Amino acid sequence: ERIDFDIAEANRLLDEAGYADTDDDGVREMPDGGEPLIFDVVVIPTVESSVPSGRLISQWVSEIGIKMELRSVSEDKYYDIWRSGDFDAYIWGWTPDPDPNFILSIFTTDECLSWSDGCYSNAEYDGLYEEQQRAESLEDRKAIVNEAQRFVYEEVPEIVLFYSNTLQAYRTDTFGGYITAPE
C-alpha cells in the first residue's frame, strides 16, 4: 500500500493542525506559537545513503516549513548519541535476512536498548512476533508475518525510505547448491 508524496497535502495537514509560521522565517512553530519545528537529525557517512537521504528529506520538509539540522557523525559517535537520547531522528539502515524472524524481532519490546533503535513497544505486536515463531505450517507463518508487517507499517515505529537491490554472482561451473532467497 503506497502513500503518495504530496507536498500540498502535507502543507494542508500541517495548516489544519495549527502549525503556522508565525514569525515569517520559513519555519512553522508549534500550535501554541512556541518552539519552531527544527529537528536535529543524525546522519552517518559510513552508512549507505544516510547523508544523501538526509539532504533530500531536508529539502522536501523545508517546502512544508520544517527545518532539519543534519549532524554528521561517525558510527561510534552515533552509538553514544543514541544511548544518550540526544537527537530527534536519525537515518540508519537495516539489511534483513531472507527469513523475517530477525527483522521482525527488532520491533519487540525485549529488544529495546539492544537491536531496537527506537525502543518501540507494543504487546499486541510482541504477541504476533511470538506467534509467527510457533506457527505449525509455512502458510500459517506467512499469514502471521504479513500481519506483523502490516502492523509495523500502520504503527510507523520506523520509516522505510527505500529498499536497496543486492546483486550477487557466482560461477555455476565451480560452485553449486545455491538456492536463491526468496525463491
Side-chain angles (χ1 to χ4, degrees):
E1 186 177 313
R2 185 176 149 174
I3 299 172
D4 290 327
F5 182 87
D6 188 337
I7 294 287
E9 177 64 4
N11 272 309
R12 187 192 70 73
L13 290 169
L14 287 166
D15 289 342
E16 185 178 284
Y19 293 91
D21 181 7
T22 57
D23 58 8
D24 291 323
D25 67 352
V27 179
R28 294 173 185 267
E29 282 76 38
M30 296 294 288
D32 62 6
E35 294 295 311
L37 295 181
I38 300 174
F39 297 96
D40 171 33
V41 179
V42 178
V43 293
I44 305 138
T46 56
V47 172
E48 178 187 11
S49 299
S50 180
V51 174
S53 294
R55 288 181 183 142
L56 280 172
I57 296 166
S58 180
Q59 290 171 0
W60 291 326
V61 299
S62 72
E63 295 179 40
I64 59 172
I66 296 173
K67 183 175 181 181
M68 283 176 44
E69 294 178 342
L70 300 180
R71 184 169 25 148
S72 184
V73 301
S74 70
E75 237 175 286
D76 287 341
K77 180 66 177 169
Y78 162 74
Y79 289 118
D80 292 338
I81 292 167
W82 181 76
R83 280 188 281 280
S84 74
D86 183 27
F87 62 93
D88 293 313
Y90 55 87
I91 300 174
W92 188 257
W94 280 104
T95 302
D97 299 323
D99 186 280
N101 189 66
F102 173 71
I103 201 70
L104 292 173
S105 77
I106 68 166
F107 298 106
T108 61
T109 302
D110 289 344
E111 290 301 325
C112 182
L113 299 178
S114 180
W115 284 109
S116 175
D117 294 325
C119 283
Y120 177 72
S121 177
N122 185 298
E124 187 178 348
Y125 179 82
D126 292 348
L128 286 171
Y129 173 73
E130 291 169 10
E131 188 180 347
Q132 65 89 27
Q133 290 182 314
R134 294 188 309 267
E136 293 184 13
S137 73
L138 207 48
E139 294 78 26
D140 289 346
R141 184 171 183 233
K142 183 178 183 313
I144 299 162
V145 165
N146 287 342
E147 187 177 349
Q149 287 178 320
R150 166 64 59 190
F151 197 94
V152 168
Y153 180 76
E154 291 174 354
E155 290 287 307
V156 197
E158 293 186 2
I159 298 171
V160 176
L161 298 176
F162 64 89
Y163 297 95
S164 58
N165 290 321
T166 302
L167 175 65
Q168 296 179 340
Y170 57 91
R171 291 183 51 174
T172 57
D173 64 326
T174 306
F175 301 100
Y178 287 100
I179 300 170
T180 57
E183 286 189 88

